[in-house]
Amino acid sequence: MNFQLTQDQLDIRKLVRDFALNEVAPSAMERDEKEEFSREIFDKMAEIGLCGIPWPEEYGGAGMDFVSYVIAVEELSRVCASTGVTLSVQTSLAGWPIYAFGTEEQKQTYLRRLAEGTSIGAYGLTEPGSGTDAGGMRTTAVDKGDHWVLNGSKIFITNGGVADIYVVFAVTDPEKRTRGGITAFIVESSFEGFSVGKKEKKMGIKSSPTTEIVFENCIVPKENQLGALGEGFKIAMMTLDGGRNGIAAQALGIAQGALDHSVDYAKQRNQFKQSISNFQAIQFKLADMATEIEAARLLTYQAAWLESEKLPYSQASAMAKVFASEVAMKVTTEAVQIFGGYGYTREYPVERFMRDAKITQIYEGTSEVQRMVIARHLLKE
Amino acid sequence: MQQMVRDFAQNEIAPLAAEIDRTDEFPLELVKKMGSLGLLGIPVPEEHDGVGADFVSYMLAIEEVSYASASAGVILAVHTSVGTMPILKFGTDEQKSKYVPRLATGELIGAFGLTEPSAGSDASSIRTRAVREGDVYVLNGSKIFITNGEVADLFIVFAATDPSLGAKGVSAFIVERGTPGFAIGKKEHKMGMNGSGTVELVFDNAQVPATQLLGREGEGFTIAMSNLDGGRIGIGAQALGIARAAFDAAREYAKQREQFGKQIADFQGVQFMLADMATKIEAARLLIYQAASLREAGLPCSQQASMAKYYASDAAMQVTTDAVQLFGGYGYSKEYPVERFMRDAKVTQIYEGTNQIQRVVVAKNLLRG
């Protein structure tokens, strides 16, 4: 891996950094407070080409690499983690499986809409009774000859309600389940029998809507089956490998944002007649925060680089995700501590960063699942 | 290069590692063999009989040697980074031609004398004095914790030529073993890193020829600090080697040790320990390679070097401690190598700038921006 970013990667960092500061940051606190998703911000992201960074130009993408993509998620999350996850889901969870497993027609139809940002994407795997044990899902898809009929429901769907395109997974053979009994589908929100259920009230990432989605005799055309029959579980798991890079980048951005605020605050806050940044207790906190963030960044970029080079990245992305999300939790908690009582108030952004950080240890595979993935790779050798 | 070093480390160094640790004897024969293979002059240019390899290759060599024996790793790192490179960088042509080729091939063994009983992290407060008297400098004082000192032929020593100027009054000298008035003092008994020949140096009206002044008078502190970044990345690489060795041993053990009728590797409690160890090692590796690659490119790397040093050494301490834990009672016994790894790891958090000093460096960089 090259430790110096390419000019393209530096350019996208600057582009997204400017965009994040000017267009995303000013409303972040208010959107959090009101639990409001901003379609306007999404449309502007689409306008400057952020929705399809790693997808080929022939499908409406920017034709860049995955490092550029994770840099974009990082920079957005540095000011607003909700906006960061919107892009991560759009790209990694909705775009990637279509890019990797879709037919040419599916790519031209759906990947293009996602890449150009004319549609918002989402991913439906989790169900009330199947979280980490995704193979235990109950949503079914029955072959009716010229179409599929889906029944069941999915929960914790990021971009739920605002998305038009959902990549979802259903049981097509209850006997086989994870061994060839689950199939992936591309479902549009306009399909008959599809509806959006209750919206979750969450601790954090509040301007990213999380909902239930419900299939009630939902009619899905045959050509919307994604990948081969029974290939769904593999698609779901491979999609999450890449999705982890996006969440690692989100966690990285949250941590960096909290550090940015902490350094500024430490420099201007005076106690005992001097800047609190003169105290080693504060200096060492800041040093540890920065060092762990740097390590998280390198792990995240390495995983994205491996994906770009088409090298195995499952272990690397699990490491990046578990490490970056735990760093984000630690760093944001320390940031609130450095701000003291002010940090606990909603007048300052660090409490939001801390609330936002927590989810990165949970979604797209809990930290515990990441450690299972890593251990499996380690012990297989 | 990396493959050659790895083979040598595995075949020639690893089998001796436990013995070096047990006897605390400096492995002179092994070090001479390393010299004849070029391992003692990896970053030294070919014109001075070195290998002329880049900095990243040198770091990989330290990592591989430390994987086999941390003591051999620190002998190599001290000899090269602070025993040889300052002469190459600041020496006169005569000093360079007299010493560097013999250091690069291992004919001479180098050491570095900066630390004193009351000048550790605050290195500028050294008390050893050097007074010019005609053709010689007369040195008085003592230096402690000198790696390689027990057997070294050549010492780069720092002394105050003008105490009123503080750090700006420090000068560097190339002191040969056998210089009148210069003696090797007591040898330290240490927790780990045994065999690396850590001793005190005593100067009692030592007569050091004026031609042995390295750089200019008053340039000593600059010389001492000149290879700070490189030295720190090197200790990071050493810590990485130790951590990797402990991890590999722990993984192998977890796969063969059976309890409750199955491999302990089947238990999630053990799996998660291994996953965390491997993840920290990977993070340490990337921080070290990043710092090394910046240094190789001639870019500023102080902050990255400090991050790499303290993260990698903290990781080495955690990983080696967990490795002992995974081995259980056997891990605590000298029959297995993991207790040695744990003892060796500790000093990487202390020398070449304590991890507290590294945090000061990182914080200073952060707050300056």
Side-chain angles (χ1 to χ4, degrees):
Chain A
M1 170 167 103
N2 190 344
F3 287 97
Q4 281 145 53
L5 296 182
T6 64
Q7 194 55 48
D8 277 356
Q9 291 161 350
L10 291 170
D11 288 347
I12 193 135
R13 184 187 294 287
K14 174 149 190 357
L15 173 79
V16 182
R17 176 72 176 149
D18 290 346
F19 174 78
L21 287 175
N22 298 325
E23 307 285 345
V24 183
S27 60
M29 199 175 275
E30 193 187 336
R31 282 183 286 110
D32 172 72
E33 197 75 42
K34 296 187 173 162
E35 308 194 13
E36 258 174 21
F37 175 78
S38 168
R39 182 74 196 214
E40 194 191 335
I41 289 177
F42 182 87
D43 288 344
K44 283 182 184 164
M45 289 204 301
E47 211 172 287
I48 63 168
L50 301 188
C51 290
I53 293 172
W55 311 137
E57 291 172 48
E58 56 182 306
Y59 304 121
M64 298 176 80
D65 67 353
F66 285 94
V67 177
S68 304
Y69 156 63
V70 294
I71 287 173
V73 174
E74 174 191 352
E75 288 298 342
L76 291 172
S77 305
R78 196 170 161 185
V79 303
C80 173
S82 296
T83 308
V85 75
T86 301
L87 180 64
S88 181
V89 168
Q90 176 85 4
T91 312
S92 291
L93 297 194
W96 191 89
I98 299 173
Y99 167 70
F101 292 93
T103 60
E104 182 58 26
E105 203 189 327
Q106 287 170 339
K107 287 189 225 182
Q108 283 301 349
T109 309
Y110 293 112
L111 186 57
R112 175 174 290 281
R113 279 163 60 188
L114 292 169
E116 291 175 346
T118 49
S119 286
I120 297 179
Y123 174 89
L125 176 66
T126 299
E127 298 184 5
S130 68
T132 295
D133 180 13
M137 68 176 68
R138 291 186 185 167
T139 297
T140 56
V142 177
D143 189 344
K144 294 284 184 184
D146 63 341
H147 65 270
W148 290 93
V149 173
L150 268 63
N151 275 291
S153 70
K154 299 284 177 181
I155 57 163
F156 299 151
I157 308 306
T158 303
N159 292 352
V162 300
D164 325 286
I165 299 170
Y166 295 78
V167 172
V168 303
F169 302 86
V171 177
T172 43
D173 184 343
E175 298 293 304
K176 291 188 185 158
R177 298 209 147 261
T178 58
R179 290 181 302 277
I182 292 171
T183 303
F185 300 92
I186 303 169
V187 177
E188 293 195 49
S189 56
S190 59
F191 287 180
E192 188 189 327
F194 174 89
S195 63
V196 175
K198 101 171 156 69
K199 183 177 169 186
E200 297 291 339
K201 289 206 166 287
K202 308 190 300 295
M203 170 196 241
I205 55 163
K206 284 159 60 172
S207 70
S208 155
T210 307
T211 68
E212 183 186 16
I213 53 175
V214 182
F215 308 98
E216 223 175 331
N217 291 320
C218 177
I219 311 287
V220 177
K222 268 293 165 78
E223 63 265 28
N224 279 39
Q225 176 187 318
L226 179 62
L229 182 69
E231 206 181 12
F233 193 70
K234 182 180 117 189
I235 295 174
M237 293 301 120
M238 287 179 69
T239 301
L240 289 177
D241 277 343
R244 278 158 195 163
N245 294 347
I247 300 309
Q250 186 202 20
L252 168 62
I254 295 171
Q256 182 65 52
L259 176 65
D260 295 341
H261 288 294
S262 300
V263 168
D264 289 347
Y265 186 79
K267 288 204 297 207
Q268 42 125 314
R269 170 77 174 168
N270 282 304
Q271 287 291 279
F272 304 104
K273 298 198 175 77
Q274 54 181 315
S275 160
I276 63 167
S277 68
N278 287 340
F279 294 105
Q280 257 181 0
I282 300 293
Q283 289 174 3
F284 283 23
K285 269 193 212 299
L286 294 173
D288 284 347
M289 290 156 81
T291 299
E292 287 177 7
I293 289 169
E294 190 65 17
R297 178 171 292 122
L298 292 170
L299 286 168
T300 304
Y301 291 2
Q302 172 174 255
W305 176 80
L306 288 169
E307 185 175 6
S308 298
E309 296 293 309
K310 301 197 174 4
L311 293 165
Y313 60 92
S314 171
Q315 178 177 355
S317 67
M319 282 182 167
K321 202 267 186 185
V322 66
F323 190 91
S325 61
E326 303 213 332
V327 165
M329 197 65 240
K330 233 155 86 179
V331 164
T332 53
T333 306
E334 286 288 43
V336 171
Q337 192 68 20
I338 289 171
F339 274 74
Y342 292 110
Y344 202 67
T345 74
R346 296 209 172 186
E347 239 173 90
Y348 289 89
V350 286
E351 63 84 28
R352 169 166 56 90
F353 283 81
M354 182 175 146
R355 287 185 286 110
D356 288 350
K358 184 60 210 169
I359 191 61
T360 65
Q361 296 178 298
I362 300 172
Y363 62 14
E364 300 204 22
T366 61
S367 290
E368 291 69 29
V369 164
Q370 308 309 324
R371 290 185 169 93
M372 284 164 63
V373 170
I374 296 163
R376 199 177 304 139
H377 282 283
L378 291 173
L379 293 165
K380 164 176 89 182
E381 284 165 26
Chain B
M1 175 84 200
Q2 189 182 8
Q3 193 54 49
M4 188 274 271
V5 177
R6 183 176 293 166
D7 290 345
F8 179 78
Q10 284 318 299
N11 300 329
E12 308 278 341
I13 303 178
L16 305 175
E19 184 71 2
I20 295 170
D21 175 63
R22 189 181 64 77
T23 61
D24 194 18
E25 268 171 36
F26 190 92
L28 194 57
E29 200 181 319
L30 173 67
V31 172
K32 293 291 181 186
K33 205 187 273 180
M34 287 164 69
S36 65
L37 277 170
L39 292 183
L40 297 183
I42 296 169
V44 175
E46 288 173 87
E47 56 175 303
H48 296 288
D49 293 351
V51 172
D54 64 18
F55 184 74
V56 176
S57 309
Y58 172 48
M59 291 301 104
L60 291 172
I62 293 179
E63 180 186 335
E64 292 303 333
V65 171
S66 301
Y67 181 96
S69 160
S71 300
V74 75
I75 290 167
L76 161 70
V78 166
H79 170 87
T80 312
S81 292
V82 291
T84 306
M85 297 312 276
I87 302 180
L88 195 61
K89 195 162 172 195
F90 295 95
T92 61
D93 286 345
E94 206 187 334
Q95 288 168 340
K96 277 191 265 193
S97 62
K98 184 172 177 193
Y99 294 121
V100 176
R102 292 158 72 201
L103 286 163
T105 52
E107 186 189 332
L108 299 179
I109 292 170
F112 181 82
L114 176 64
T115 298
E116 298 183 2
S118 58
S121 290
D122 181 12
S124 63
S125 66
I126 55 175
R127 291 184 189 166
T128 297
R129 285 292 316 268
V131 178
R132 176 87 186 238
E133 288 178 9
D135 287 346
V136 299
Y137 282 93
V138 178
L139 268 62
N140 277 292
S142 70
K143 298 285 175 183
I144 57 163
F145 300 148
I146 310 306
T147 302
N148 291 358
E150 189 181 8
V151 300
D153 305 285
L154 214 58
F155 301 79
I156 295 177
V157 174
F158 299 85
T161 39
D162 186 347
S164 69
L165 294 176
K168 292 197 173 92
V170 173
S171 302
F173 300 90
I174 306 170
V175 180
E176 292 188 12
R177 176 179 286 259
T179 298
F182 167 50
I184 304 299
K186 97 170 155 74
K187 179 173 168 178
E188 295 292 340
H189 286 287
K190 308 191 301 294
M191 170 195 242
M193 221 49 99
N194 289 330
S196 61
T198 311
V199 298
E200 183 187 15
L201 308 180
V202 182
F203 302 91
D204 183 9
N205 287 320
Q207 309 286 308
V208 177
T211 51
Q212 298 297 93
L213 176 69
L214 180 62
R216 295 185 313 272
E217 254 193 38
E219 204 181 8
F221 202 66
T222 308
I223 295 173
M225 299 296 132
S226 68
N227 198 24
L228 223 52
D229 294 340
R232 284 169 182 172
I233 303 167
I235 297 307
Q238 186 192 29
L240 174 61
I242 298 171
R244 275 182 44 216
F247 172 76
D248 285 353
R251 179 174 59 182
E252 283 320 301
Y253 186 78
K255 282 159 84 167
Q256 40 129 311
R257 169 78 173 167
E258 294 198 354
Q259 288 290 282
F260 303 103
K262 53 183 179 180
Q263 290 178 9
I264 63 167
D266 287 337
F267 294 103
Q268 252 178 2
V270 170
Q271 288 173 3
F272 281 25
M273 283 172 80
L274 289 171
D276 284 345
M277 292 159 82
T279 302
K280 281 176 196 157
I281 288 172
E282 191 63 18
R285 184 202 316 272
L286 290 167
L287 285 170
I288 292 160
Y289 292 0
Q290 169 179 255
S293 111
L294 288 174
R295 190 179 181 282
E296 181 63 37
L299 295 166
C301 66
S302 282
Q303 171 155 347
Q304 288 82 357
S306 285
M307 285 179 165
K309 192 272 181 184
Y310 94 74
Y311 187 85
S313 56
D314 283 354
M317 197 65 236
Q318 288 160 4
V319 167
T320 55
T321 306
D322 278 350
V324 171
Q325 191 67 23
L326 262 167
F327 273 77
Y330 292 109
Y332 203 67
S333 129
K334 300 225 170 192
E335 241 173 86
Y336 289 89
V338 286
E339 63 84 30
R340 166 165 57 87
F341 298 149
M342 183 176 145
R343 286 184 288 109
D344 287 346
K346 182 62 211 169
V347 78
T348 64
Q349 296 179 300
I350 298 171
Y351 60 20
E352 208 81 18
T354 62
N355 285 4
Q356 286 64 44
I357 286 289
Q358 308 306 330
R359 286 177 170 89
V360 169
V361 172
V362 173
K364 207 175 282 173
N365 274 293
L366 284 175
L367 292 164
R368 197 175 50 201

